[in-house]
Amino acid sequence: MTDRHVPATGLGGSGDPVELSAMPLEFTAFRELHHPRYLSYARVWFHEPAEAAETVEQAFRALAAVWPEVLGSPNPTAAAWQILRSTVDERLDPCGVPAPRAATKDEDLAILHYVVGLATPEIADVVGADTASIASQLRHALRREPSEW
């Protein structure tokens, strides 16, 4: 849950401050629904709780900056998930070189299922995919050697 008494701010794409607490109701609802899952995912990659939390906050600030475009996209949940993944990747390696720990899509799903503990329908909700596709990709992920999670 968010603390509505402490506004979270950051810079939007135009360089203007984005105040998350002043965002539309749809954004607030999306954030409250996905924040705990995003944070659980980030904690897999960033063992310091504060770093994981800041990564998720950075992702939500980036999402807030493009919220109208995300809402107009064919799959807003998938677009938001990509923003989170990009933010995680950037923070893992701020120099822009592909991080050796960066997860593939199958590994992301396996992390969400086996490490974070989400059921297939919950994963589908988080990443913006259908449940059957997620189940198939999880089976595929099991056949491969997982990287260090």
Side-chain angles (χ1 to χ4, degrees), residues 61-115:
R61 288 190 301 267
L63 179 60
V66 295
W67 184 246
E69 293 85 6
V70 168
L71 276 183
S73 72
N75 190 335
T77 304
W81 176 253
Q82 288 309 309
I83 289 172
L84 174 70
R85 286 299 303 128
S86 295
T87 305
V88 168
D89 288 345
E90 288 169 12
R91 287 188 64 116
L92 284 172
D93 188 359
C95 297
V97 178
R101 292 177 51 202
T104 66
K105 185 176 181 181
D106 286 346
E107 288 171 333
D108 276 345
L109 300 179
I111 288 168
L112 289 169
H113 186 65
Y114 296 107
V115 180

Side-chain angles (χ1 to χ4, degrees), residues 22-36:
M23 291 298 294
L25 180 61
E26 297 85 2
F27 179 86
T28 303
F30 183 91
R31 177 181 161 75
E32 288 190 14
L33 176 66
H34 291 285
H35 188 275

Side-chain angles (χ1 to χ4, degrees), residues 3 6 11-12 24 26 33-34 47 52 57 70 74 79 85 91 102 105-106 111 114 118-119 125 127 133 140 144:
D3 183 350
V6 180
L11 293 179
E26 297 85 2
L33 176 66
H34 291 285
H47 300 292
E57 289 308 309
V70 168
R85 286 299 303 128
R91 287 188 64 116
K105 185 176 181 181
D106 286 346
I111 288 168
Y114 296 107
L118 299 181
D125 182 48
V127 302
S133 173
H140 180 261
R144 296 177 357 139

